[in-house]
Amino acid sequence: MDIGILGAGRLGGTLAQLFVEEGHQVAIANDSGVESLADLSETLGPQLRAVEPTQAIRFGDVVFLAIPFRERDSLPDADHFAEKIVVDAMNPYTENFHVMDLGDDTSSELVAAQLPDAKLVKSFNTIYWETLRDLGHPDLPESERLAVFLAGDDSDAKAHVADLIRDIGFGPIDVGGLVPGGELLEPGSALYKREITVEEARETVRTLRARQG
């Protein structure tokens, strides 16, 4: 699968490495320019290309948003994302790492409003980048792998993202649509930064859904 990644920090760089290792082609971009990605390109080889943001979007069958949520207004125009599977891996933190007050909205609802024609999936925001880097186990049965949660309203888009989660050795857990499922993936929720197996996660999600009514 061709993958575009916007953001080359710890999360974006880790995702790039994992996907390249699994044989995917990756185009990655950041706001510092192509030259700033030379070391990453040299490390990961020809399956990774450093490009401008619009080129990464155009390249990707799936496009990951791995920039700070507070900088989402710097994303290219929404038209570039039309009909793309877009993975929102952002969290609503201020520069001082306080959770932003979004009122009655979740962060993924605001991203969906910003990119109305994208097939948005919220995922990869609840797991530490070190956990992604070190604790994927493709050799384990899926029920014994650590869970990566996802939410979204397009079932085909979620299926593609779930396959990518499996590729890098984790197990996908679908918590439902962006509403109300996205609420379960916000900072401070019962699923946020939880290192639990797929089997444990399924039971936890059932309990949380029952509480949501």
Side-chain angles (χ1 to χ4, degrees):
M1 188 176 292
D2 292 340
I3 297 170
I5 300 176
L6 302 184
R10 289 172 172 174
L11 178 60
T14 298
L15 288 170
Q17 177 180 345
L18 293 172
F19 291 138
V20 164
E21 289 173 352
E22 292 304 315
H24 298 288
Q25 299 287 325
V26 177
I28 192 167
N30 65 8
D31 60 1
S32 298
V34 172
E35 296 79 9
S36 68
L37 300 169
D39 288 346
L40 187 63
S41 298
E42 183 176 349
T43 299
L44 297 184
Q47 283 176 251
L48 179 96
R49 62 197 70 185
V51 296
E52 298 297 330
T54 55
Q55 293 173 306
I57 299 166
R58 190 180 311 118
F59 177 83
D61 300 314
V62 178
V63 180
F64 283 78
L65 306 182
I67 66 172
F69 177 83
R70 62 184 178 274
E71 297 176 9
R72 68 192 185 281
D73 289 342
S74 68
L75 290 171
D77 290 342
D79 289 348
H80 292 287
F81 295 92
E83 301 305 315
K84 291 284 186 176
I85 299 171
V86 176
V87 181
D88 173 17
M90 303 182 290
N91 283 310
Y93 287 114
T94 68
E95 194 168 358
N96 295 323
F97 297 103
H98 298 297
V99 178
M100 299 170 69
D101 183 359
L102 304 180
D104 294 331
D105 296 315
T106 63
S107 58
S108 54
E109 286 178 272
L110 295 178
V111 176
Q114 183 176 347
L115 308 176
D117 296 319
K119 301 173 183 177
L120 191 71
V121 179
K122 184 76 171 181
S123 191
F124 287 94
N125 69 300
T126 64
I127 187 168
Y128 285 111
W129 67 273
E130 298 101 326
T131 304
L132 278 174
R133 182 191 63 191
D134 299 333
L135 297 181
H137 291 287
D139 53 311
L140 289 178
E142 191 167 312
S143 63
E144 297 177 18
R145 300 179 185 185
L146 291 182
V148 173
F149 301 98
L150 65 156
D153 299 327
D154 187 299
S155 58
D156 288 339
K158 286 196 288 187
H160 283 293
V161 176
D163 284 342
L164 290 175
I165 292 169
R166 294 186 182 99
D167 282 352
I168 60 174
F170 294 86
I173 294 292
D174 187 347
V175 301
L178 291 179
V179 179
E183 296 174 7
L184 301 178
L185 307 185
E186 291 288 274
S189 75
L191 301 180
Y192 192 71
K193 304 299 186 187
R194 289 282 302 278
E195 292 186 6
I196 55 178
T197 66
V198 166
E199 187 172 356
E200 294 169 319
R202 286 173 180 153
E203 181 59 36
T204 301
V205 169
R206 278 195 292 268
T207 300
L208 293 171
R209 280 176 170 168
R211 290 176 184 171
Q212 282 184 326

